[in-house]
Amino acid sequence: MNSSIIRFILGNVLKTEAVLLLLPCLVALIYAEPEGLWYLPVAAACFLLGLLMTRRKPANNVFYLKEGCITTALSWIFLSFFGCLPFCLTGEIPAFTDALFETISGFTTTGASILNNVEALSHCSLFWRSFTHWVGGMGVLVFLLAIVPMSGGSNINLMRAESPGPSVGKLVPKVRYTARFLYMIYLGMTVTEIVLLLLGRMPLFDAICTGFGTAGTGGFGIKNDSIAGYSPYLQWVVTIFMILFGINFNAYYLIIFGKIKRALKIEEIRYYLLIILVSVGIIFINILHTCANAFNALTQSAFQVASIITTTGFSTTDFNAWDTNCKVVLVMLMFVGACAGSTGGGIKVSRFVILFKTVRKEFASYIHPKSIKIVQMDDKPIEHEVVRTVNVYIITFIVLFVLSVFLISFDGTDLITGFTAVAATINNIGPGLEMVGPAENFSFFSPFAKYVLMFDMLAGRLELFPLLLLFHPSIWKDLFAYKKSMRSIKKLQS
């Protein structure tokens, strides 16, 4: 394993985080908040450590998917560790475990919180908390690829390790330009939403933080009632943009270059929009009698469906009080998630489409044993390797999910709370039901349970395998073997 390239990339990640940590300082300067001073030493520590790690450039720039996965997992752990320190130093979240939980929830765009009073935080901390969503939404390594010149021709392995979905490809020939193009679309959509929120008379600070939370499909609100206190116009703007950020960004690339028909033919997007329409219809009919009027019922149902399927986690009402069938629909949407190649979490619509098509193919083979059926998507045959990967992913997901529910059951919480707490974290959603409902938070869990849920948040955001690879013995054996061989080469050279 090429440990030198891993070290080099991690160093660049820390230097990038150091720069990003200066933004809350500017916010603190605007609002004259002393808490902003604590972000400076953390930024300095990140920069110095990053400088030490990048002082020597790696002799070998080539790395494979294994290195990409390890680098990605370690990058998110490093980011979260240093990103939580300002919360501890300011005293706004004094317990390290709680601060780490909040930060991992931010970077993984989960939105699960341990805070009882969000509005008690300073503006700079509220900004940093929401900004972690925006950074984590598209992925910090995608951001790194867009701004830092990296050679070696293996950069696609970083994107594959970090980007959500069964498969990742390049939009343009060079990975760096693909990363830049993705961030241009991401930034453009974020700015557009913020402008529309401002037109609805949302305060600038609120609009920026809400824009970050929507773009990253994260869901950290800056008000205790999340989005409920804003006007129906603002709620509809957020609803529409949550749905838009849950769409595969490849579709936006095709639309920008005039290939609208190709974009409309993407099966995953059609199923994604159909699921949203059906879910909104079911919930609308069920809550109509409890709302003031039909428009209010439509606003609430559309908002919550968009929030859950895109794994954003904003709320305008306590959906924990809804009928059982409404809650069942929402829990199902938690697992479905958004499209591959979007900023949303969950298992992804494309995986379910592939899974159902594979099951249909197996049924057909039972009825017509001699027939040859090919699983297709977007009028193209799906490679057996992709089908196999989807099956392995879902099996691994189920095993990890069941194990996590079992582990946090030692806290003595009821089954619905434990089940939806894991569902909300591993799918990067935020709120669950009962004790982790939209009107509650995760503060009551024990430190052990919080670390289990933190692991789930990271595993869910990184598509399971990059994080799980860290626990494979052969990875560390390869790492130490590589270091030993490099020392031998240096001795021979000297």
Side-chain angles (χ1 to χ4, degrees), residues 3 16 28 31 64 88 91 116 138 299 307 317 320 342 344 350 418 439 461:
S3 61
T16 302
Y31 289 95
Y64 300 97
C88 295
N116 293 309
M138 187 59 68
T299 302
S307 180
T317 186
N320 192 48
S342 70
S350 60
R461 175 59 183 84

Side-chain angles (χ1 to χ4, degrees), residues 26-41:
L26 293 175
V27 175
L29 196 63
I30 293 168
Y31 289 95
E33 293 173 334
E35 289 86 355
L37 294 173
W38 292 105
Y39 285 82
L40 290 173

